[in-house]
Amino acid sequence: MPDFDKVTLLVGDSATELEIVASTQGHSGLDISKLMAATGLSSFDPAFVNTASTKSAITYIDGDQGILRYRGYPIEQVAELKSFTETSYLLIYGAFPTATELTDFEKKISVRTEHIQQLDGFFRSFPKDAHPMAVLSAAVSALSTFYPETLDPGSEAAIEESTLRLLAMVPVVTAYAHKASIGEDFVAPRPELSMVDNFLNMTFGSNEIPFEQNLIVSKALDTLLLLHADHEQNCSTSTVRLVGSSQANLYASVSAGVNALSGPLHGGANEAVIEMLELINKTSETVETYVERVKNKEDNVRLMGFGHRVYKSFDPRAKIVKATADQVLSELGVTDPLLAVAKQLEAIALADDYFVSRKLYPNVDFYTGVIYKALGFPPKMFTPLFAIGRMPGWIAHWREMNSEANTRISRPQQVYIGEAERSI
Ligand code: ACO
C-alpha cells in the first residue's frame, strides 16, 4: 500500500486527481475509471501488463518473491495437506470444508456425473486426430443444452447447480474426448469412486476391465490438478470473466476459457514442452544447439515451459512439480530420458545470461508433461488435464465477478490508427 491516497495527473493545464484502490497485499491500483471523461485520453496498455481489471479476493501472487496463495494459504501447504476437491471448495466458497461439508460436496459432485448418451455421436463425429482441447471446449458448451434450468446468471440456485455440474461433468467429457480419439467405448462414470479415480477409470479403464487403482498415480494427479486450480487474472481466467460479464452463462464462459487455455503460450505449453524434449532426445538436436537457437530467436523458437508474465524469480508451483516428478517416476519405477533432458535444459538456461537477464525460470508446465507421461497420458491430453485443474478457479472467478453489484459488461477501448473518413 503506497503512503499516498491520490495521484494528480496533469494534462495541459488541467489537473485530475486519481484515487488509489488499496490492496491488502501487493500492488494497489490507480483508479483511472474517470480518465476519459476528465482528459479525453484513454489508457494504453497492450497485453494489460500494468492493468488490474478487477479487485479479487481469491488468489494472491507475488511474482518477485515466488509466492502463490489460494485464499491466503501458501500453495506449498495446500499441496502437502489438502486434496484437489478441498482446494476446489476453498476457491469457490472461500474456506476449506469441514469433514461433513467435504463428504457432502463430494457426493453432490459424484451424483451429477453421467454418461449422456445423446453426446456419443457428438464425440464420434470429430476426426480421429482432433485435438481434445477443441472437443472439450465444444463439449463444455454443449453441456449447457442438457441442463437448461442451470443457465440463469441471476439465480443463485442455477449458479450453484451449474458449478456442481461442471465440476462433475468436465472430467467425464474430457475422458470421453480421449476415448473417442483412440476409438474405444465410453466408460460409464462410477459415483462411488473419488473424482480422480473416476476420471482415471473413464480414461484408462473399460466397461469390462476397470482401471486398477494405484495410490501413487491418483495422488500425483490430484496434486497436479490442485497446483493448477487457480492463478488469478491469467489469460483464460480473464477470458472467463470477460465473457461472463455479458451475462453469458457459466458453461459458455468456461468453454471460452478452455479455448484461451489451449494456446502454447498458456496451458498448451505443457504439450509443447514434451514435443521440445522429444525433439532433443530423438533427433540430432542437442540441449546446447536448442538453447542457441532460442537465444538467436531462430524461427521464434522459445524454451517452452520457461518464463512467466508475473513470476520473475521462480514459480513456486514448478518447484513442487519438479520434486513430484522425481518422486513419482521413482515410485512408479519409470526411467524417462526426457526428465534428464529437462534437467539439463534447466541447468544450462539458469546459468545463461540470456535467461538470467530476462528473469526466465521454469514455470509450472516445464516438468508436468514428464509426470503425465509417466502416468500414461498421451501428450494431447496434457492441456485438457490442465483444464480440469483450472475449472474451480474459473468458476470461482466467474462467481466473484457475477456477485459484484457494480459489474458492467467488459469492453476495452482502442487507439484507432486507421484512415480518417474518406469517400468511395
Ligand atoms: N524462451 C526464450 N525467450 C523468452 C521466453 C522463452 N520461453 N519467454 C520470454 N522470452 C524472452 C522474449 O523473447 C523477450 O525477449 P526480448 O526482451 O529480447 O524481446 C523477453 O523474454 C520478454 O518476453 P515476453 O514475451 O515479452 O514476456 P511475456 O510476459 O509477454 O510472456 C510468456 C510470458 C508467454 C509465458 C513467455 O515467457 C513464453 O512465451 N514462455 C514460453 C511458453 C510457456 O511456457 N507458457 C506457459 C506460461 S505459464 C501458463 O500459462 C500456465
Side-chain angles (χ1 to χ4, degrees):
M1 177 62 191
D3 54 7
F4 45 86
D5 58 5
K6 281 191 176 67
V7 167
T8 306
L9 181 70
L10 269 180
V11 180
D13 292 336
S14 114
T16 302
E17 290 215 317
L18 303 174
E19 307 274 337
I20 302 289
V21 181
S23 65
T24 52
Q25 299 259 276
H27 303 285
S28 289
L30 183 61
D31 182 349
I32 57 165
S33 55
K34 298 194 175 69
L35 187 69
M36 277 182 64
T39 68
L41 293 171
S42 60
S43 64
F44 182 62
D45 185 22
F48 307 121
V49 174
N50 300 283
T51 297
S53 58
T54 184
K55 292 187 210 170
S56 181
I58 300 171
T59 287
Y60 174 68
I61 300 175
D62 180 331
D64 294 324
Q65 309 284 330
I67 290 172
L68 167 61
R69 297 185 199 131
Y70 293 162
R71 300 275 188 193
Y73 298 107
I75 190 66
E76 295 79 5
Q77 286 180 25
V78 180
E80 193 188 335
L81 302 171
K82 297 293 179 181
S83 68
F84 174 60
T85 308
E86 287 169 296
T87 305
S88 303
Y89 190 99
L90 170 76
L91 291 168
I92 295 169
Y93 303 110
F96 281 120
T98 61
T100 319
E101 285 167 341
L102 180 60
T103 311
D104 186 46
F105 186 54
E106 285 170 337
K107 194 162 171 218
K108 282 179 178 166
I109 294 173
S110 63
V111 299
R112 284 170 176 81
T113 55
E114 60 173 329
H115 176 183
I116 303 176
Q117 283 176 347
Q118 284 144 286
L119 278 179
D120 287 1
F122 165 90
F123 285 113
R124 302 271 183 229
S125 68
F126 295 98
K128 260 297 190 49
D129 57 355
H131 198 288
M133 280 300 271
V135 181
L136 178 59
S137 126
V140 170
S141 199
L143 282 178
S144 68
T145 64
F146 291 92
Y147 310 113
E149 71 291 355
T150 71
L151 304 185
D152 179 3
S155 152
E156 272 186 34
I159 292 170
E160 187 57 19
E161 187 57 32
S162 56
T163 295
L164 296 168
R165 274 293 174 197
L166 277 167
L167 293 174
M169 289 303 292
V170 165
V172 179
V173 295
T174 306
Y176 287 10
H178 171 66
K179 284 293 191 195
S181 77
I182 56 172
E184 286 187 5
D185 287 345
F186 304 120
V187 178
R190 287 175 41 202
E192 76 279 11
L193 295 178
S194 72
M195 181 252 139
V196 162
D197 285 331
N198 197 10
F199 172 67
L200 288 168
N201 187 51
M202 290 183 292
T203 304
F204 297 125
S206 72
N207 288 309
E208 296 74 37
I209 308 168
F211 174 70
E212 200 177 317
Q213 282 180 38
N214 177 326
L215 259 181
I216 301 165
V217 172
S218 308
K219 172 77 184 113
L221 183 56
D222 197 84
T223 303
L224 290 178
L225 294 177
L226 170 162
L227 289 174
H228 289 87
D230 192 39
H231 215 232
E232 49 116 310
Q233 311 309 320
N234 58 84
C235 177
S236 56
T237 304
S238 297
T239 300
V240 170
R241 290 185 88 121
L242 189 119
V243 173
S245 78
S246 75
Q247 296 183 359
N249 66 60
L250 188 53
Y251 306 88
S253 306
V254 164
S255 164
V258 172
N259 283 326
L261 187 73
S262 69
L265 298 190
H266 192 13
N270 56 16
E271 185 181 340
V273 169
I274 279 290
E275 283 166 6
M276 172 184 78
L277 298 178
E278 265 165 3
L279 177 85
I280 295 171
N281 192 42
K282 288 198 183 136
T283 66
S284 57
E285 184 90 76
T286 64
V287 169
E288 290 77 11
T289 56
Y290 190 84
V291 168
E292 270 319 296
R293 287 209 295 131
V294 169
K295 287 163 60 178
N296 296 334
K297 300 190 174 173
E298 271 176 44
D299 307 320
N300 290 324
V301 63
R302 287 195 162 195
L303 184 48
M304 299 312 286
F306 252 67
H308 199 275
R309 172 62 61 76
V310 184
Y311 292 122
K312 297 301 172 196
S313 60
F314 69 96
D315 179 338
R317 302 167 301 173
K319 272 195 170 178
I320 302 171
V321 175
K322 187 179 177 185
T324 308
D326 279 326
Q327 191 191 337
V328 170
L329 266 65
S330 127
E331 284 174 352
L332 292 175
V334 172
T335 317
D336 187 345
L338 298 191
L339 181 58
V341 174
K343 285 187 178 174
Q344 250 182 299
L345 261 180
E346 182 189 1
I348 289 182
L350 293 182
D352 189 303
D353 187 57
Y354 174 95
F355 299 93
V356 175
S357 64
R358 289 172 177 77
K359 301 186 175 173
L360 302 172
Y361 297 87
N363 60 49
V364 66
D365 287 327
F366 195 65
Y367 285 103
T368 49
V370 178
I371 307 179
Y372 293 142
K373 188 167 167 252
L375 302 184
F377 291 100
K380 273 186 175 178
M381 281 292 282
F382 295 178
T383 315
L385 292 169
F386 190 152
I388 297 177
R390 186 51 58 86
M391 200 55 54
W394 288 334
I395 293 171
H397 280 274
W398 187 96
R399 288 172 66 127
E400 183 177 62
M401 180 268 316
N402 190 63
S403 68
E404 278 157 15
N406 58 354
T407 296
R408 298 168 70 190
I409 187 167
S410 291
R411 203 294 185 193
Q413 295 290 336
Q414 64 170 6
V415 174
Y416 176 68
I417 57 165
E419 301 285 349
E421 183 180 357
R422 53 182 173 166
S423 297
I424 297 167

